[in-house]
Amino acid sequence: MSTDDLAAPAALAPHLGTVLDALAAGAATRNGPLPAGGPAAVAEALGRVLADTGGADPLRTLTTALAAHSVDPLHPDCAAHLHCPPLAVAVAADLAASAVNASLDSWDQAPAAIEIENDVLRSLAGLVGYGPRAAGVLTTGGTESNLMGLLLARDSAPDHHRATRTAVFASTAAHFSVARNASLLGLPPAAVHLVPTDDRHRMDPAALHAALRAHRARTPAGEGAGPSVVVATAGTTDLGAVDPLRALAETAHAHGASLHVDAAYGGGALFSERLRPLLDGLPLADTIALDLHKLGWQPVPAGVFLARDAARFDPLEARVAYLNAQDDEDEGYLSPLGRSLRTTRRADAFKLAVTLRALGRDGLGRLVDRCHDLARHAAARIAATPGLELTAEPVLTTVVFRCTDPRLDASATDEANARARRALLAAGRAVVGRTELGPGPGAIRLKLTLLNPHTTEERLDALVDAVAAAGREAAAEVVPATAGTA
Amino acid sequence: MSTDDLAAPAALAPHLGTVLDALAAGAATRNGPLPAGGPAAVAEALGRVLADTGGADPLRTLTTALAAHSVDPLHPDCAAHLHCPPLAVAVAADLAASAVNASLDSWDQAPAAIEIENDVLRSLAGLVGYGPRAAGVLTTGGTESNLMGLLLARDSAPDHHRATRTAVFASTAAHFSVARNASLLGLPPAAVHLVPTDDRHRMDPAALHAALRAHRARTPAGEGAGPSVVVATAGTTDLGAVDPLRALAETAHAHGASLHVDAAYGGGALFSERLRPLLDGLPLADTIALDLHKLGWQPVPAGVFLARDAARFDPLEARVAYLNAQDDEDEGYLSPLGRSLRTTRRADAFKLAVTLRALGRDGLGRLVDRCHDLARHAAARIAATPGLELTAEPVLTTVVFRCTDPRLDASATDEANARARRALLAAGRAVVGRTELGPGPGAIRLKLTLLNPHTTEERLDALVDAVAAAGREAAAEVVPATAGTA
């Protein structure tokens, strides 16, 4: 094979064989979900491979190194982030998208991919409960979908001056990208109003009502008023908390605000008969973010942005002579250029179209339920394990907890948990998550995010035991330090 | 195989075989670079396939349909857009990235992918002529890279008020995403200043000087002044025009403005000894956009954003408890979270790392030169073909021209060219581009974008002849209509 072969099927075949061999060979060098030795060891090993720029088969060499030195989401002891093991059928479909290399910015680069994306969006709009006026677009993920939600809210203003006065209301537990996106959109820091949560980390509708009322009182109506948008969260990253969507929608709309729902994580509950009731009220949202690369088992990216009414996209419409001339569109050569912030855009919907047919909603629902079961199992095990403290019962598929030791104060407990997690990483033993609940000493928690439906209760028990052991070792390291500084 | 198999190599193998078979079977149903029949035929055929949600092997069925009804960038008669046929080795590497499913927002989701991205960025920073202080990030493409250029210019302001006063200077030939991105960033329409071009569609440094001076005269210096950023284009989408980067950099910097270079297309000239001199002055840019999914033969996306000084990224730095806690970073667990607008982000650098080693800069340079040769050949053929009018000599790999007929006025000539292009599409015969040079009647042009280095001069001659024939037929259709309405 020649190095400059193009991606025709016959030319691809030998390269794909190389990749499969190398992925297996690389993974076989690990004893756990990641290589042992921590960042320095990974950097040194990769550095050696990358420095050899004259090798005969860089695809094999680099793929082996990638697999050997990655954190493997297929490994049962990889349970830190919303970082799923992808389905084989979805990865294969993604290969087809790469080989065909369609770009959805014009019809004449993507006739089939555009039809397929529209079909997937219709399915997902139906899944969330939207009617026939809905529209959407594939995105790189929740962050971009949330950006689009804020952007289209901002640009629903009748003029630039009022758009600059957009007010955003999100709970203190909302994703960090809400504030980051508001800044990207040019809104001042004071544009983001943090709404208090209840004791289960859900936005409090009464608090939202108060915040919206206070904002209106500060802002004279009429020419100067900007749009208000409420960002609700269906599935916070840490605790999986789902805001009360119906009540928030009613509150927002009563105040003339629109509602964007960040369902990047919790949207997966739509596939599950058991969890779906958590999302009651979702169809009342003006716009929604979903991420099928979380509870959807897609390779990244499989973000989705949906609007209840296609007219929401009007401010994004673009007419570009080289992409979508009016007379070509009149003849049916339509493109979704006016749906996306990007121009060139690959056919990420293709893997979703295949997955939705291969597994069906029910098949995906079974995977969601299995991960929910695993989370409940892990929570029970944690609650029953001395030296571990469960923070809250799981809502979706995350379990938040920490290691405790009666000899440690709040700061030392934080230090012990952070150390325990790093020790598991450095040993190549396990990848568990870490977060902070609120400010100040004692806030650090560990987290299991269960996205591998094929793991077993026995593996999970062993993982919990390993974390507890690491916690005990870390506590023993921290105790003398605390004593010394007390 | 089970539908919910995860993407381990053994589970992937049969699915990949299905994909290769189906890609070949689908392509074999076409007689040209796209299916005949236009949008209605594609919609009908896809609609039939998509309506059958109970099929036994959706991966095979949908992949066959995708290949059958796509515009095939590997076909020599697909020559419309900066929509390249990807290298087999790059598509295979992309499969590895999908299977491993690393996400670059935290170390513990991507230890190897982060090292590999850093290595690729160092290589590309060296390629553009940047020194060791450079930094960068992979993006979804030129539009996102150009957004980052404007964002980091805006947020170099010391406060929000001054950031809202950012002024953008771009030529009338700059990509449409410059104005779109400025709007996304919350800048008013008047923030974008269009700078006139010379007779070869390049930004005129004297005109830029005048525009910057006029802006300063309107804007008192001191507390109220916002940052100014000049967006130069290295390779316009249509004519491949490359702005005089050195002169523009000197002009911009003399006025205290920064320089962002949109080299999404022309950056490929860096691989070519012959074309590289066009980019003289590129290392003087503060930030640069490259797209290796154009003259780099990568599957989408392979966008790159580079900054001459890593400090340019400071406004984007983010500290997020669940992703990059300070004490973890102190222990070496570093991530590029603060480089990207996204959170979850796949390892798009991996295919670049493999490609840069498999082909080398020289290998990519040979492909660039070959496409440049093909463009010059096509231009000569067009100039020698009656009924075709060459608009300009090619600079990079595009050839802009139109069909002419002495019986047609400017508007009718536009109509005939638009019809000729659609006729070639509807027949499934060829995919050629279309654009407009300036406003008003007579602006429409056709375009060949030559990105397939494996096509031949003979195939290209036949393509030019087919366009000329389509132009004659369209002219014959338009003539009576013109006569009737005159």
Side-chain angles (χ1 to χ4, degrees):
Chain A
M1 54 198 175
S2 162
T3 54
D4 67 354
D5 279 341
L6 301 178
L12 269 176
H15 292 298
L16 299 184
T18 299
V19 166
L20 291 181
D21 290 351
L23 287 174
T29 65
R30 284 188 271 105
N31 293 315
L34 82 167
V42 170
E44 195 201 323
L46 262 298
R48 263 197 316 272
V49 173
L50 293 167
D52 175 21
T53 54
D57 192 350
L59 179 63
R60 182 180 301 276
T61 312
L62 287 180
T63 302
T64 305
L66 176 70
H69 300 285
S70 278
V71 161
D72 184 357
L74 280 78
H75 195 287
D77 295 325
C78 175
H81 294 278
L82 291 164
H83 170 213
C84 73
L87 292 161
V89 73
V91 169
D94 219 19
L95 169 71
S98 287
V100 168
N101 207 28
S103 176
L104 281 88
D105 49 327
S106 68
W107 187 94
D108 60 1
Q109 297 175 86
I114 289 170
E115 293 292 333
I116 291 167
E117 178 169 290
N118 286 338
D119 183 78
V120 165
L121 291 167
R122 275 190 297 268
S123 292
L124 295 174
L127 182 72
V128 303
Y130 276 167
R133 296 168 62 89
V137 71
L138 273 280
T139 69
T140 51
T143 296
E144 184 183 348
S145 297
N146 290 340
L147 175 64
M148 293 193 71
L150 292 192
L151 169 70
L152 298 183
R154 184 195 74 177
D155 290 354
S156 68
D159 57 54
H160 176 76
H161 178 68
R162 288 168 72 162
T164 64
R165 299 195 171 191
T166 301
V168 179
F169 298 82
S171 89
T172 50
H175 195 248
F176 77 96
S177 64
V178 174
R180 208 181 196 211
N181 284 332
S183 166
L184 177 57
L185 292 172
L187 301 177
V192 180
H193 304 262
L194 292 182
V195 180
T197 55
D198 66 15
D199 59 357
R200 287 159 69 190
H201 298 262
R202 302 174 302 185
M203 194 192 289
D204 177 355
L208 175 64
H209 172 74
L212 286 163
R213 196 171 50 185
H215 176 68
R216 181 182 290 182
R218 281 192 307 272
T219 315
E223 278 193 24
S228 290
V229 55
V230 176
V231 179
T233 307
T236 58
T237 308
D238 291 330
L239 291 162
V242 180
D243 288 343
L245 302 180
R246 181 173 297 278
L248 295 177
E250 287 163 1
T251 304
H253 292 156
H255 285 270
S258 60
L259 177 69
H260 172 75
V261 175
D262 175 358
Y265 175 23
L270 293 166
F271 297 116
S272 156
E273 291 305 313
R274 179 199 300 173
L275 296 173
R276 191 180 167 96
L278 287 169
L279 302 183
D280 174 58
L282 183 62
L284 300 173
D286 297 279
T287 54
I288 299 173
L290 302 175
D291 260 1
L292 279 289
H293 55 243
K294 295 185 167 90
L295 289 174
W297 293 277
Q298 301 298 298
V300 173
V304 177
F305 175 72
L306 295 170
R308 196 179 59 229
D309 187 331
R312 192 82 176 168
F313 282 97
D314 287 352
L316 255 187
E317 281 304 328
R319 181 71 50 207
V320 181
Y322 79 89
L323 291 173
N324 63 350
Q326 184 66 59
D327 57 321
D328 284 347
E329 293 220 327
D330 291 344
E331 298 287 329
Y333 293 90
L334 298 166
S335 84
L337 181 67
R339 295 272 188 264
S340 179
L341 303 179
R342 290 178 273 164
T343 309
T344 299
R345 184 161 67 83
R346 81 191 289 274
D348 287 315
F350 185 68
K351 60 197 172 201
L352 293 181
V354 171
T355 300
L356 289 172
R357 283 165 178 75
L359 279 79
R361 293 182 188 184
D362 293 348
L364 288 167
R366 279 190 292 276
L367 302 186
V368 172
D369 286 344
R370 173 65 185 154
C371 291
H372 182 230
D373 288 339
L374 288 167
R376 294 197 294 190
H377 178 88
R381 179 82 177 189
I382 287 165
T385 300
L388 297 182
E389 171 193 284
L390 182 67
T391 300
E393 289 300 323
V395 178
L396 299 171
T397 71
T398 56
V399 192
V400 178
F401 65 103
R402 65 174 169 176
C403 305
T404 58
D405 185 302
R407 298 170 294 174
L408 304 182
D409 65 10
S411 292
T413 301
D414 282 349
E415 172 73 12
N417 278 278
R419 280 186 186 222
R421 191 185 84 93
R422 286 197 298 266
L424 292 165
L425 286 174
R429 171 65 185 85
V431 188
V432 301
R434 163 196 177 160
T435 191
E436 291 173 32
L437 295 182
I444 291 182
R445 294 293 183 281
L446 301 181
K447 177 173 66 168
L448 300 181
T449 302
L450 298 164
L451 288 183
N452 186 335
H454 294 183
T455 195
T456 62
E457 281 75 2
E458 292 69 30
R459 293 293 308 234
L460 208 44
D461 290 348
L463 174 60
V464 170
D465 292 350
V467 176
R472 285 191 297 274
E473 285 178 36
E477 288 167 20
V478 170
V479 166
T482 308
T485 58
Chain B
M1 55 198 175
S2 162
T3 53
D4 68 353
D5 279 341
L6 302 177
L12 268 175
H15 292 297
L16 300 183
T18 299
V19 166
L20 291 181
D21 290 352
L23 287 174
T29 66
R30 284 188 271 104
N31 292 314
L34 82 167
V42 170
E44 195 202 322
L46 261 297
R48 264 198 315 272
V49 173
L50 293 167
D52 175 22
T53 54
D57 192 351
L59 179 62
R60 181 181 301 276
T61 312
L62 287 180
T63 303
T64 305
L66 176 70
H69 300 284
S70 278
V71 161
D72 184 355
L74 279 78
H75 194 287
D77 294 326
C78 174
H81 294 278
L82 291 164
H83 171 213
C84 73
L87 292 161
V89 73
V91 169
D94 219 19
L95 168 71
S98 287
V100 168
N101 207 27
S103 177
L104 282 88
D105 48 326
S106 69
W107 187 93
D108 60 2
Q109 296 174 87
I114 290 170
E115 293 292 333
I116 290 167
E117 177 168 291
N118 286 337
D119 183 79
V120 165
L121 290 167
R122 276 190 295 270
S123 291
L124 294 174
L127 182 72
V128 303
Y130 276 166
R133 296 166 63 88
V137 70
L138 273 280
T139 69
T140 51
T143 296
E144 183 183 348
S145 297
N146 290 339
L147 175 64
M148 293 194 70
L150 291 193
L151 169 70
L152 298 184
R154 185 195 74 177
D155 289 352
S156 69
D159 57 54
H160 177 75
H161 178 69
R162 289 168 73 162
T164 64
R165 301 196 171 191
T166 301
V168 180
F169 298 81
S171 89
T172 50
H175 194 250
F176 76 96
S177 65
V178 174
R180 208 181 196 213
N181 284 331
S183 166
L184 176 59
L185 293 172
L187 302 177
V192 180
H193 304 262
L194 292 182
V195 180
T197 56
D198 66 16
D199 59 356
R200 287 160 67 189
H201 298 261
R202 302 174 302 186
M203 194 192 288
D204 178 354
L208 174 65
H209 172 74
L212 286 163
R213 197 171 48 187
H215 175 70
R216 182 179 292 182
R218 282 192 306 272
T219 315
E223 278 191 25
S228 291
V229 54
V230 176
V231 179
T233 309
T236 58
T237 308
D238 291 330
L239 291 161
V242 179
D243 288 343
L245 303 180
R246 182 173 295 279
L248 295 177
E250 287 164 0
T251 305
H253 292 156
H255 284 269
S258 60
L259 177 69
H260 172 74
V261 175
D262 175 359
Y265 176 24
L270 293 165
F271 297 116
S272 155
E273 291 305 312
R274 179 202 299 175
L275 296 173
R276 191 180 167 96
L278 286 169
L279 301 183
D280 175 57
L282 182 62
L284 300 173
D286 297 279
T287 54
I288 299 173
L290 302 176
D291 261 0
L292 278 291
H293 56 243
K294 295 185 167 91
L295 289 175
W297 293 276
Q298 301 297 298
V300 173
V304 177
F305 175 72
L306 295 170
R308 195 178 61 226
D309 187 332
R312 191 82 176 167
F313 282 96
D314 287 351
L316 256 187
E317 280 304 329
R319 179 73 49 208
V320 180
Y322 80 91
L323 291 173
N324 64 350
Q326 183 67 57
D327 58 320
D328 283 347
E329 293 220 327
D330 292 346
E331 297 288 328
Y333 292 89
L334 299 166
S335 84
L337 181 67
R339 295 273 188 263
S340 179
L341 303 179
R342 288 177 276 164
T343 309
T344 300
R345 184 161 67 81
R346 81 192 290 275
D348 288 314
F350 185 68
K351 60 198 172 199
L352 293 181
V354 171
T355 301
L356 289 171
R357 283 165 178 77
L359 280 79
R361 294 183 188 183
D362 292 350
L364 288 168
R366 279 191 293 274
L367 301 187
V368 172
D369 286 346
R370 172 65 184 154
C371 291
H372 182 231
D373 287 341
L374 288 167
R376 295 197 294 192
H377 177 87
R381 179 83 177 189
I382 287 165
T385 299
L388 296 182
E389 172 192 284
L390 182 68
T391 300
E393 289 299 325
V395 178
L396 298 170
T397 71
T398 56
V399 192
V400 178
F401 65 103
R402 65 173 169 176
C403 305
T404 58
D405 185 301
R407 299 169 294 175
L408 303 182
D409 65 11
S411 290
T413 301
D414 281 349
E415 172 72 14
N417 277 276
R419 281 185 184 223
R421 190 185 86 92
R422 286 197 297 264
L424 291 165
L425 286 175
R429 171 64 184 87
V431 188
V432 302
R434 163 194 178 161
T435 191
E436 291 173 33
L437 294 181
I444 291 181
R445 294 293 185 281
L446 302 180
K447 177 172 68 167
L448 299 180
T449 302
L450 297 163
L451 287 183
N452 186 335
H454 294 181
T455 195
T456 62
E457 281 76 1
E458 292 70 29
R459 293 292 308 235
L460 208 44
D461 290 348
L463 175 59
V464 170
D465 291 351
V467 176
R472 284 191 298 273
E473 286 177 36
E477 288 168 19
V478 171
V479 165
T482 307
T485 59

